[in-house]
Each structure stands twice: as structure tokens, then as C-alpha cells.
Amino acid sequence: SSQVATGKAAGKLSSTLSWVKNTVSHTVSQMASQVASPSASLHTTSSSTTLSTPALSPSSPTQLSPDDIELLAKLEEQNRLLETDSKSLRSVNGSRRNSGSSLVSSSSASSNLSHLEEDSWILWGRIVNEWEDVRKKKEKQVKELVRKGIPHHFRAIVWQLLCSAQSMPIKDQYSELLKMTSPCEKLIRRDIARTYPEHDFFKEKDSLGQEVLFNVMKAYSLVDREVGYCQGSAFIVGLLLMQMPEEEAFCVFVKLMQDYRLRELFKPSMAELGLCMYQFECMIQEHLPELYVHFQSQSFHTSMYASSWFLTIFLTTFPLPIATRIFDIFMSEGLEIVFRVGLAVLQMNQAELLQLDMEGMLQHFQKVIPHQFDSGPDKLIQASYQVKYNAKKMKKLEKEYTTIKTKEMEEQVEIKRLRTENRLLKQRIETLEKESASLADRLIQHKCSSRYSEDFVLQLEKELVQARLSEAESHCALKEMQDKVLEMEKRNSSLPDEENVARLQEELIAVKLREAEALMGLKELRQQVKDLEEHWQRHLARTTGRWKDPPRKNTVNELQDELMTVRLREAETQAELKETKQRMMEMETQ
């Protein structure tokens, strides 16, 4: 390595810079063609990948940082040595194969950091160039290598290879999509300024970074109308744009949404997020039972701190160098790394969290945890792979969650049905009340008349039968409602408390209004019953001494008395039914 450093003379650096400036405009297309060709030499692959850095970075394509220039000089010198001695590469590769479990040698094999860096470049160049063979034959070793971190200049092409996003047909539609209008444009524009507000590439209003970010989000909202745009996805797209041009970033984002469960996470229902929260909470209960009990006692729900972990893959939690390393592993292994890192973070902070209340825990997650790993992500990643993750158990939890959600949906359907029945019962009660009032009027009119016909007696008997039937039906409806109330109480006690707070608040307000209306109706009904009873008592007092009336008149009076008694019982039953309905509303409120 010291020979390489010494060989970087001023003349050599000048010629390298000139060479870079002359070829940088063609680097992106060269990179794609050279990676696709298995016969391309290691020199071609490494050079093209390195030279693509300016085109993939937010800075101007014709400007290189001192670090980039130094790396280019190192790589060119190393490639020159490799060209003069082709056996060097075979010997290096042979030493990798002899290492057994990994493609990369351990850090203890050499004390020279610069040599290891060059070694990593050579290795990643070979992996990129021979990607299909390497991924098929040495998938486990590739995963281990990704966990150690993908070199910055290889990250763009390796991410595309990991998710199979190269040569996607949808890439050809990108320019046409940008000409179309999306219904999500206002929402996207609103959130653009909130995405990486401190990053140079995005912080300036109407900058290139904000424009390409808007383009990719708009294009995807047109491709996937169901998802459209979801807040949080812009952070993932922003990270992609820090590594590659917008067309490639668009293709990678489409693959992530399709193949990495992100589309389900970002759907309007966010059903997949609910599943992830359920699985993660079960992991906490199993591995950190004391912390789980503390969270429950403080009503500190998993979604209050972990939702953003899954929606942005920690990009809004940790600084970019840490989050990017986690994203490397996500590209290779999927959402499993989010569960692992999340549980590792909780394990490392368990002692502090157990001493805090809800407010203190929120502050700890927002202020303390994001900066715990500023020195580097290696400790966190190592801890995450000490976490026991059982894929079969996660599948089992997914089935459990699906069953719970199905029951909840059935319960919602049942509640809607009960509400419909309540409405119909209310209409029926109103009809009965009108019929009762009409019958009472007729009774009063007939009482004022001194003549009673046989037809009138028969009519009273029929109406008495009808009144008794109505009373029986009201009792049946009341009993049925009481049974449903008991059933609802049992179901409510067994269902998990996992609801959308905003929707519940709106529902609570509506239910409270209905409850107030019902209370007023109940009060009015009770007053009506009281008035009717008082009227009946006065009637009885007036008719007490009239036992000497003719037999037919006595029969009519008895029928009228019995009919009025049934009406009173019916009114009381209606009052009790309204009380039951009131209990139903209180149950819905709970």
C-alpha cells in the first residue's frame, strides 16, 4: 500500500483527472453494459463502477472530491499491476476460497487498512462482474459480505443487482410518466421539503434533488394507483437518489414495493404495518418480558415508536451512515433486519426504558437512541444478529393476526347489522306509539257516547288481541337485544385493543351525540308513561262506583280497563327497550 501511495505523483494525478473528465459523460451507460457482460475484465468493471460515482452523486458530474481522486489513483495502479501479472487475481481469489465461510478475509489477516480497502474493491469488482454465478453458488457468502457493508462506489450497482432491477421494461415508460398529471402531486410537493431537510442535495427549495425526488414519487403514483403516494416512502426514494440517477432509482423503488412487502406497508389500509406491529410486539413479549409488561402498564403501544422503523427502514431514526448500512442488509435479506435491529435497540436500552414513564420513553426514542451509534453501526449490526429470529414462528403469528382481523371484520359487520335492526325497531316503536295514540283517541270518543254496539265490542276485543301480540313482540325484541348486549360484552372483552385513534375519536363524538338524543327520548317516554299512568289512575277513581251499570256496559268497561292496562305495560316495555338501546350505545362507545 505504501508503494501505491508513493506512486501517486503529481503528473499521474493530473493525467488521471484529465482522463476522468474526458470519460465521465459516458460512465453510466458503460457501467450497465460492462456489468451485463461476464467476459468484461476486472479492470473494466472496477473502473466503470468507480467512474460512475460523480454521475450517481448529488454533486456536479465533472467534479471529484480528493477522496475520489485518491481512490481512482489507487485502483488504476492496482489494475496496472493485475494486468502485468494475471496470476495475482487468481492467487487472491484462491486465498478467498480457502477462507471457507466468507468471501472476504478477516480484518486480523492484515494490519494495513489501505490494503484491505483495495482488497475489498477487487473482490466487489469480481462479484459485480460475475454476479449471476456468484449469487447462485455463494449466496450465503454474499449475505455475509453485505452485512459487513457495501463500498460506497459499488452501492448503486449492487443494490440494483440485489433486487434484480436492471433492464426493467418499466424504465422505458419513465419519461412518458413524467409528462402525465398525478392526483397526488400536491401531497408530494407538500412533503418534499420535509424529506432530508438537512441534506445538501435536498434542502434547497426547487433544487435538483427536490425535483428528481418529486419526479420519482409522481411516476410511481401513476404506476400504482391503489397506493398512490404515502408519506414516508419519499425517504427511501431519497436514499436511492443519493446513490443513482432517477430512472434507476425509480426501477429499484418499484422492485422494493413489489418484492419487499413495502407495497403492503404503504397501502391505505396499512394492513401489513399492523401485522409487523403484532409480530414485533410478540417478539418483545418473548425476548424482553419485563420491558413488555412495562410498556403495557404505561399504555406505550408498539406503533408509537416502531411504525417509522418499518415504514422508512430506520432512515428517519439513525444518521445516514448507520441507516444506509442497515439498508444494505434490507436489500439483501428483506424486512427481517428491521425486526432484528429493532429488538437489538430495545435490548440495549431496556435498563433505561424501565425507569421512564410514557413521556420519558418517547423522549428517549426521539433524542437518545438516534445518536447511540454515531461511532459506527458494527456494534448494532452484531447485536441484531444475536437476536433469535424464527421465520416459522413469524408465519404462525401472521396466521394468528389474520384470524384476529377476520373476527374483527365479522364483529364490525355484526355491529352494522345491529344498528340496522335498532333503526327498524325504532321505526316500529314510533308506529306503535302512533297507533296507541289513535286508539286512545277512539276510546275517548266512544266513552263520550252512551251507546255501545256489538261491533264496537268485537272491535275492542280484536284491538286487545293485537295489543297483546305487539306487547309479546316487543318483549321478544327486548330479550333478543339483551342477549346481543351480553354477546357483545363477551366479544369486546376478548378482542385486542388495536384501533385507529382518529377514527375512534370521531366515532366517539357521533356515539355521544346519539347517546344524548337517546337519553332525551328516554326521558320523554318515561314522562309519557308517567302521564298515562296518572291519567289511568284518575280514570279508575272516576269509575269506581259504577258497578250498577248494565251487563253489556260492564263488559265494555272491563275490556277498556284491560286494554288500557296492556297499553301501560306496552309503554313500560318500550321504556325498557329504550334503556336497552341506551346500554347498546354505551357498549359501542366503549
Side-chain angles (χ1 to χ4, degrees):
S1 64
S2 59
Q3 291 175 351
V4 173
T6 306
K8 291 190 298 175
K12 182 65 177 176
L13 185 59
S14 175
S15 64
T16 303
L17 261 174
S18 174
W19 174 56
V20 168
K21 290 178 179 178
N22 290 334
T23 59
V24 73
S25 60
H26 306 290
T27 54
V28 175
S29 60
Q30 287 175 350
M31 179 180 71
S33 62
Q34 289 163 351
V35 170
S37 172
S39 62
S41 69
L42 177 62
H43 173 74
T44 305
T45 303
S46 301
S47 301
S48 65
T49 308
T50 305
L51 289 172
S52 67
T53 303
L56 302 176
S57 68
S59 58
S60 171
T62 58
Q63 294 177 350
L64 290 173
S65 67
D67 289 340
D68 292 334
I69 296 170
E70 182 180 358
L71 289 170
L72 284 169
K74 283 183 183 180
L75 189 60
E76 188 174 25
E77 179 65 14
Q78 183 67 29
N79 289 338
R80 188 185 62 77
L81 293 173
L82 286 171
E83 285 174 352
T84 57
D85 184 8
S86 60
K87 293 181 180 179
S88 298
L89 180 58
R90 289 197 293 272
S91 65
V92 169
N93 294 335
S95 67
R96 299 293 180 282
R97 287 191 292 272
N98 293 335
S99 66
S101 63
S102 175
L103 286 170
V104 67
S105 58
S106 65
S107 57
S108 60
S110 172
S111 60
N112 193 316
L113 185 61
S114 178
H115 176 73
L116 287 174
E117 186 181 69
E118 292 172 8
D119 213 28
S120 177
W121 274 60
I122 294 169
L123 183 57
W124 276 104
R126 177 175 174 268
I127 289 171
V128 168
N129 196 44
E130 302 173 8
W131 176 253
E132 294 301 327
D133 290 338
V134 170
R135 191 170 195 183
K136 288 177 184 176
K137 297 177 182 177
K138 298 185 177 180
E139 183 179 1
K140 183 179 178 182
Q141 290 91 330
V142 170
K143 282 186 178 180
E144 291 178 1
L145 198 59
V146 171
R147 291 174 190 175
K148 296 178 186 295
I150 302 170
H152 170 69
H153 296 83
F154 284 90
R155 191 164 269 138
I157 185 61
V158 171
W159 282 2
Q160 292 179 61
L161 291 170
L162 283 170
C163 68
S164 304
Q166 66 275 43
S167 305
M168 287 179 66
I170 201 170
K171 184 177 180 180
D172 299 330
Q173 303 174 24
Y174 183 74
S175 58
E176 292 302 317
L177 289 169
L178 296 186
K179 298 175 184 176
M180 299 167 65
T181 302
S182 168
C184 303
E185 288 187 18
K186 286 186 179 179
L187 285 174
I188 298 171
R189 287 285 185 199
R190 183 196 66 189
D191 288 341
I192 288 294
R194 307 175 190 174
T195 307
Y196 300 114
E198 304 299 323
H199 196 283
D200 290 341
F201 190 38
F202 300 105
K203 68 181 181 181
E204 296 295 333
K205 187 178 180 182
D206 300 326
S207 62
L208 174 62
Q210 288 195 4
E211 193 58 34
V212 294
L213 179 57
F214 173 80
N215 288 346
V216 175
M217 298 309 303
K218 170 187 166 182
Y220 185 81
S221 72
L222 290 165
V223 168
D224 188 349
R225 299 277 183 170
E226 182 182 2
V227 173
Y229 166 73
C230 181
Q231 190 177 12
S233 57
F235 284 94
I236 294 174
V237 174
L239 180 68
L240 298 176
L241 289 168
M242 294 178 203
Q243 315 295 329
M244 60 191 79
E246 59 184 291
E247 292 89 348
E248 281 79 1
F250 172 68
C251 292
V252 172
F253 185 61
V254 169
K255 291 297 283 186
L256 291 180
M257 294 292 279
Q258 291 174 349
D259 301 341
Y260 286 71
R261 294 172 63 183
L262 290 188
R263 185 174 185 274
E264 301 302 315
L265 279 174
F266 287 122
K267 274 185 177 179
S269 65
M270 288 194 167
E272 192 75 7
L273 181 61
L275 169 61
C276 291
M277 294 296 100
Y278 179 75
Q279 291 172 321
F280 189 61
E281 190 169 314
C282 290
M283 288 181 70
I284 299 170
Q285 187 176 8
E286 179 183 357
H287 299 291
L288 303 170
E290 191 177 356
L291 187 61
Y292 173 81
V293 171
H294 180 63
F295 283 168
Q296 293 294 313
S297 67
Q298 294 292 324
S299 298
F300 193 61
H301 302 296
T302 312
S303 57
M304 294 172 71
Y305 61 90
S307 295
S308 63
W309 293 356
F310 287 87
L311 290 173
T312 67
I313 322 297
F314 292 101
L315 289 170
T316 56
T317 303
F318 295 123
L320 271 175
I322 314 295
T324 306
R325 280 286 302 278
I326 296 172
F327 204 84
D328 284 343
I329 303 172
F330 170 72
M331 294 293 295
S332 174
E333 303 179 31
L335 277 178
E336 177 183 330
I337 188 61
V338 182
F339 287 98
R340 288 184 173 278
V341 171
L343 204 65
V345 167
L346 293 181
Q347 283 176 337
M348 293 177 177
N349 290 272
Q350 181 174 212
E352 292 85 352
L353 291 170
L354 287 172
Q355 306 301 318
L356 301 171
D357 59 9
M358 179 194 284
E359 187 66 30
M361 287 190 288
L362 282 172
Q363 289 294 319
H364 191 80
F365 276 99
Q366 292 170 2
K367 305 294 184 184
V368 179
I369 288 177
H371 301 289
Q372 283 183 332
F373 308 100
D374 286 353
S375 59
D378 291 336
K379 179 182 176 183
L380 176 60
I381 291 173
Q382 287 171 7
S384 69
Y385 280 96
Q386 300 301 315
V387 171
K388 292 180 181 178
Y389 180 90
N390 188 327
K392 289 184 179 178
K393 187 163 187 178
M394 297 298 271
K395 280 287 182 186
K396 182 181 177 183
L397 290 173
E398 184 176 351
K399 289 181 181 178
E400 286 180 8
Y401 181 79
T402 303
T403 303
I404 290 171
K405 280 297 171 186
T406 302
K407 286 182 179 178
E408 284 185 359
M409 290 297 293
E410 291 172 355
E411 189 68 24
Q412 288 175 5
V413 171
E414 179 68 10
I415 288 172
K416 286 181 180 178
R417 189 179 69 80
L418 286 173
R419 284 176 179 167
T420 303
E421 287 185 6
N422 277 345
R423 190 177 67 252
L424 294 174
L425 278 172
K426 186 177 179 181
Q427 292 173 356
R428 188 172 178 183
I429 288 170
E430 289 173 354
T431 303
L432 284 171
E433 287 174 349
K434 289 178 181 178
E435 289 178 358
S436 297
S438 175
L439 183 58
D441 291 340
R442 288 172 62 192
L443 277 172
I444 291 169
Q445 289 172 6
H446 282 291
K447 279 182 181 181
C448 295
S449 175
S450 60
R451 299 179 63 184
Y452 297 93
S453 65
E454 289 289 341
D455 292 338
F456 177 59
V457 172
L458 291 173
Q459 181 67 21
L460 281 176
E461 287 175 348
K462 288 180 182 179
E463 289 181 358
L464 179 60
V465 171
Q466 290 295 326
R468 284 176 175 170
L469 286 173
S470 297
E471 180 186 10
E473 289 174 358
S474 295
H475 276 296
C476 289
L478 177 62
K479 183 66 171 62
E480 186 180 352
M481 292 297 292
Q482 288 172 337
D483 292 341
K484 285 173 182 173
V485 167
L486 290 174
E487 185 182 351
M488 287 288 291
E489 286 175 344
K490 289 179 182 178
R491 289 188 183 179
N492 283 348
S493 63
S494 64
L495 287 175
D497 181 18
E498 201 173 308
E499 295 289 339
N500 184 294
V501 175
R503 184 178 61 78
L504 277 177
Q505 287 174 341
E506 293 175 3
E507 180 70 13
L508 181 60
I509 292 168
V511 169
K512 284 293 185 183
L513 288 173
R514 293 199 302 273
E515 186 178 339
E517 292 173 0
L519 283 171
M520 289 296 294
L522 183 59
K523 187 175 179 182
E524 291 174 3
L525 183 58
R526 283 175 175 166
Q527 186 62 40
Q528 288 176 9
V529 171
K530 186 178 178 182
D531 294 343
L532 189 57
E533 191 169 357
E534 289 176 357
H535 180 73
W536 176 239
Q537 292 300 328
R538 287 196 301 269
H539 170 73
L540 288 178
R542 285 197 305 270
T543 58
T544 302
R546 300 179 186 174
W547 299 108
K548 296 180 181 181
D549 289 337
R552 178 174 292 181
K553 191 169 184 180
N554 285 336
T555 303
V556 172
N557 287 336
E558 287 172 5
L559 283 172
Q560 290 174 342
D561 292 346
E562 189 174 355
L563 181 61
M564 186 60 72
T565 303
V566 169
R567 288 300 177 190
L568 279 172
R569 286 204 304 270
E570 183 184 353
E572 290 170 357
T573 303
Q574 290 169 6
E576 191 174 351
L577 184 59
K578 287 220 171 186
E579 288 178 0
T580 304
K581 288 167 61 182
Q582 179 62 28
R583 286 186 60 201
M584 281 293 295
M585 286 189 179
E586 290 173 358
M587 286 294 299
E588 289 176 0
T589 305
Q590 292 172 5

